[in-house]
Amino acid sequence: MWRKRRLFRVAMLSTFAVVVIYYTTSQLRTIQKWRNRRKVGSAPRWEPVVLMNELQYVGTERDEDAFVRHAFNLSSSNLLPSDRALPDTRHTRCHDPSNYGELPLETTSVIVAFHNEARSALLRTVISVLNRTPSDLVEEVILLDDCSDNEEDGALLSSLPKVRVIRNQAREGLVRSRILGALEARGDFLMFLDSHCEVNVGWLEPLLERVTQNPQTVASPVIDVIDMDTFQYRPTSSQLKGGFDWSLHFKWVPLSHKQREQQTNPAEPFLSPAVAGGLFLVSRNWFRMLGMFDSGLHIWGGESLEISLKSWLCGGKVEVVPCSRVGHVFRRRHPYTFPRGNANTYLRNSKRVAEVWLGDHKRFFYEAQPNARMMDAGSLQEQHEVKSQLDCKPFQWYLENIFPELKLPNEENSAFGQLRQGSLCLQSVEESSAIKLAECSESEPSQHSWAFSVHTASIQHRKLCLTVHDRAKCPVLETCTQSYQQKWSRHGRAVVLLSSGQCLESGTTSEVRLSECRRGAVSQQWDFTVELQAQDDHPVNIT
Ligand code: UDP
Ligand code: MN
């Protein structure tokens, strides 16, 4: 009996002890967590970094023509210290750190790929990150030297705190360099910067807040301008979204009326169809799930649209965060070589993006960039795999919900593209108003961009209108005037001048003229590449 009671007491005591130990440790953990908690906007945890031999590193080089080597004024850049002060360009609402709530314990790897960057600009990029970011938020600054001519440009910076220098032995281009950086990164978040940036006060915290709230967010700062001549730092509008046209050229887009209405103040983050430039923060895991960037993109171009489309279509989103400001030196040209030619590389990269992500709408890209049709863009298998694995939405959804500002080309037109008859296409004749018929060629720009509008009853080739002067037989291209000589309609496949009721007809040579309409005459049958609206009995070939 006594034994039983003792046993019972021991059991009770040990249960109590376990409970007490558990409670105490959990409390300690909470206290620890609370102590580790970081408030946004807290001051850097280290003294501002100053490179001891900065002058020696940068050198005193002054170019005869300062723009030759870097496409920006090297002398202006070299005269500025690496830790120069910047004007705080944020909205006043951004100043209060308590706006941002609590930050995670995760860290960020800043990834800067560079090829032959001016040392002073590269150094300022790094120092601005080190000086304007609370140190415990930064895991590392990865400088990815993309085979610059002078290995020491990067190597000499490896003694700076947190800096890791990785060098490509062969030129890989911006995209594959960034991928390499991402593969090396140890931080939970990745921040991509160009090598001629300066981050501004409190830049990282508001971005972190967004990706922490939703880890499938690609968050981009507002990109202020560092003047390429004077290196003056100037604010830009914080109310612009990133977008693009059908050529897949990036462009800024003002916020929609609806977005402005929903906004309670201009400091609030807003959704954007594309990242504003190539500078953004993304969770490392999400970036990997998205297949990072397409590694088939060469040297420069296409990658920021690719990551934007991929994010939106595959379950994520893209935001611009006005409280985060990063300065960037915008240039008029790329100062480095493109081993396969500048225009070709960019067009080929864009073609890869169009082929994978635009779906049926890629035809609008090809209309805007006919030269891309014949290009070999390489294998797209991996990209298509990512798309099906992540069960990504069709481009139509993006057009309707995310980027309604991207209108179908000439939305009021009912047909456009090449205007063809069999294997022959209508073509403008260079430097004259004449037109002729020639063998269709995908790469002949003067055969593309014809458009028929029901609305204005006109047939246009770019800005000019198909015109038939009184008593003339052959149509020509002239400035659009809305006159009766430029009014056309389509009946089935026939193209009819309204005033005379005559039909457009191919001649025996390359000539095109007007003649009496004859039902079923093959020489009077015309087709546009893309039909946007049914024409009587004409088949609709766009979905
Ligand atoms: N870059 C690179 N390898 C290349 C081309 C560019 O590492 O082959 C780097 C370049 O040094 C810069 C970034 O990629 O840091 C973006 O290039 P750039 O500034 O010319 O692009 P932009 O700002 O005009 O879009
Ligand atoms: Mn740049």
Side-chain angles (χ1 to χ4, degrees):
M1 183 67 186
W2 276 112
R3 229 169 144 205
K4 257 192 192 164
R5 254 196 205 165
R6 236 179 108 199
L7 264 177
F8 177 72
R9 226 181 262 160
V10 168
M12 284 294 286
L13 271 174
S14 28
T15 318
F16 180 69
V18 167
V19 169
V20 167
I21 288 168
Y22 177 78
Y23 179 77
T24 323
T25 47
S26 69
Q27 282 304 302
L28 275 176
R29 238 185 273 135
T30 318
I31 291 167
Q32 189 66 23
K33 226 177 176 179
W34 185 82
R35 287 183 61 187
N36 278 344
R37 194 171 66 158
R38 278 182 292 246
K39 282 283 180 200
V40 182
S42 59
R45 297 273 170 92
W46 62 52
E47 289 301 302
V49 175
V50 181
L51 194 71
M52 290 310 288
N53 48 2
E54 180 169 330
L55 267 183
Q56 206 183 324
Y57 171 74
V58 169
T60 46
E61 185 186 6
R62 302 276 178 271
D63 267 356
E64 256 316 272
D65 180 349
F67 283 79
V68 171
R69 280 211 303 148
H70 301 284
F72 56 63
N73 190 335
L74 180 66
S75 309
S76 305
S77 175
N78 285 357
L79 284 171
L80 290 170
S82 64
D83 59 348
R84 70 154 162 172
L86 297 179
D88 184 348
T89 50
R90 299 170 302 170
H91 190 275
T92 42
R93 278 177 185 267
C94 308
H95 294 186
D96 181 2
S98 64
N99 280 344
Y100 307 119
E102 211 172 282
L103 275 179
L105 296 172
E106 287 104 326
T107 57
T108 299
S109 294
V110 178
I111 299 171
V112 181
F114 69 96
H115 176 73
N116 288 346
E117 185 57 84
R119 286 185 172 192
S120 49
L122 178 63
L123 178 63
R124 242 187 337 270
T125 307
V126 180
I127 297 293
S128 73
V129 170
L130 296 179
N131 283 348
R132 297 204 178 92
T133 326
S135 93
D136 43 2
L137 295 182
V138 184
E139 178 70 40
E140 60 202 343
V141 179
I142 297 181
L143 296 183
L144 209 306
D145 175 1
D146 187 17
C147 201
S148 300
D149 297 341
N150 188 345
E151 187 169 351
E152 297 211 316
D153 292 353
L156 288 172
L157 299 181
S158 57
S159 57
L160 287 171
K162 308 237 177 187
V163 171
R164 279 169 71 196
V165 182
I166 301 169
R167 180 172 161 86
N168 290 338
Q169 288 313 318
R171 177 94 178 273
E172 293 291 347
L174 159 72
V175 186
R176 284 196 291 277
S177 300
R178 283 186 166 185
I179 293 176
L180 276 168
L183 287 171
E184 284 285 334
R186 300 173 188 139
D188 309 280
F189 300 110
L190 311 175
M191 179 73 210
F192 295 103
L193 289 179
D194 276 11
S195 46
H196 34 255
C197 288
E198 280 164 83
V199 300
N200 211 326
V201 57
W203 71 290
L204 183 60
E205 294 89 332
L207 295 176
L208 274 176
E209 195 214 6
R210 302 307 294 173
V211 287
T212 312
Q213 270 185 23
N214 179 345
Q216 294 174 348
T217 304
V218 165
S220 74
V222 168
I223 306 178
D224 286 331
V225 172
I226 301 174
D227 188 287
M228 67 174 125
D229 189 16
T230 61
F231 273 69
Q232 184 198 19
Y233 186 105
R234 287 195 302 264
T236 45
S237 163
S238 67
Q239 305 297 303
L240 291 172
K241 312 192 272 189
F244 50 89
D245 58 22
W246 285 106
S247 297
L248 297 191
H249 293 315
F250 176 84
K251 64 177 199 181
W252 303 101
V253 181
L255 294 191
S256 66
H257 184 63
K258 195 170 149 202
Q259 278 181 306
R260 281 201 311 273
E261 267 182 1
Q262 282 168 352
Q263 220 179 23
T264 53
N265 72 72
E268 251 174 34
F270 50 83
L271 299 178
S272 173
V275 282
L279 323 180
F280 60 89
L281 182 76
V282 64
S283 126
R284 193 185 58 187
N285 285 343
W286 176 236
F287 188 62
R288 289 205 177 161
M289 270 184 74
L290 286 175
M292 304 197 279
F293 294 116
D294 167 10
S295 63
L297 300 174
H298 295 322
I299 304 295
W300 179 92
E303 79 290 343
S304 44
L305 286 194
E306 194 232 358
I307 194 71
S308 306
L309 289 171
K310 212 150 64 166
S311 306
W312 274 120
L313 295 175
C314 311
K317 61 176 172 169
V318 177
E319 286 188 348
V320 174
V321 186
C323 284
S324 173
R325 298 289 188 135
V326 175
H328 170 256
V329 186
F330 289 91
R331 303 183 277 200
R332 290 209 189 91
R333 64 178 176 89
H334 298 293
Y336 38 76
T337 58
F338 280 71
R340 298 165 202 236
N342 187 338
N344 280 351
T345 306
Y346 181 34
L347 198 57
R348 181 185 169 280
N349 288 354
S350 301
K351 175 171 180 164
R352 288 182 72 84
V353 177
E355 279 290 332
V356 178
W357 299 105
L358 298 199
D360 266 358
H361 291 83
K362 70 183 177 193
R363 70 181 82 194
F364 299 119
F365 165 73
Y366 287 120
E367 270 313 313
Q369 296 280 18
N371 291 341
R373 281 200 176 99
M374 308 306 286
M375 280 186 152
D376 173 14
S379 165
L380 293 166
Q381 198 187 334
E382 266 181 45
Q383 313 314 310
H384 285 298
E385 274 168 17
V386 168
K387 198 176 166 183
S388 66
Q389 267 164 20
L390 294 176
D391 199 16
C392 306
K393 297 187 186 82
F395 188 71
Q396 181 68 35
W397 171 86
Y398 175 84
L399 268 187
E400 283 166 15
N401 298 283
I402 309 304
F403 196 15
E405 293 89 346
L406 181 62
K407 300 288 177 214
L408 299 185
N410 307 310
E411 208 153 75
E412 74 277 16
N413 291 334
S414 54
F416 74 95
Q418 287 172 317
L419 180 48
R420 55 197 299 163
Q421 187 171 88
S423 64
L424 297 177
C425 280
L426 217 55
Q427 181 172 321
S428 59
V429 178
E430 217 175 321
E431 287 173 19
S432 89
S433 60
I435 51 165
K436 63 172 188 178
L437 266 180
E439 220 29 68
C440 291
S441 154
E442 297 293 5
S443 58
E444 175 51 62
S446 65
Q447 288 182 2
H448 291 268
S449 308
W450 289 88
F452 170 68
S453 158
V454 180
H455 183 59
T456 56
S458 64
I459 293 179
Q460 268 182 253
H461 181 56
R462 308 221 159 85
K463 294 217 154 54
L464 299 175
C465 278
L466 198 64
T467 313
V468 185
H469 288 292
D470 296 347
R471 285 190 293 280
K473 275 261 160 265
C474 296
V476 288
L477 282 171
E478 293 199 346
T479 314
C480 300
T481 58
Q482 295 273 354
S483 88
Y484 67 93
Q485 298 166 322
Q486 298 181 337
K487 300 271 183 212
W488 300 84
S489 70
R490 295 171 74 203
H491 298 281
R493 296 168 77 186
V495 174
V496 182
L497 184 70
L498 278 172
S499 56
S500 69
Q502 289 186 307
C503 279
L504 192 68
E505 178 160 26
S506 60
T508 41
T509 55
S510 62
E511 174 199 71
V512 190
R513 56 193 158 81
L514 281 186
S515 54
E516 290 313 309
C517 296
R518 299 183 312 279
R519 186 174 271 274
V522 177
S523 56
Q524 292 184 348
Q525 291 179 355
W526 302 92
D527 298 299
F528 280 90
T529 325
V530 182
E531 296 288 345
L532 295 174
Q533 240 173 55
Q535 293 298 312
D536 303 340
D537 56 337
H538 202 83
V540 181
N541 70 31
I542 186 170
T543 45

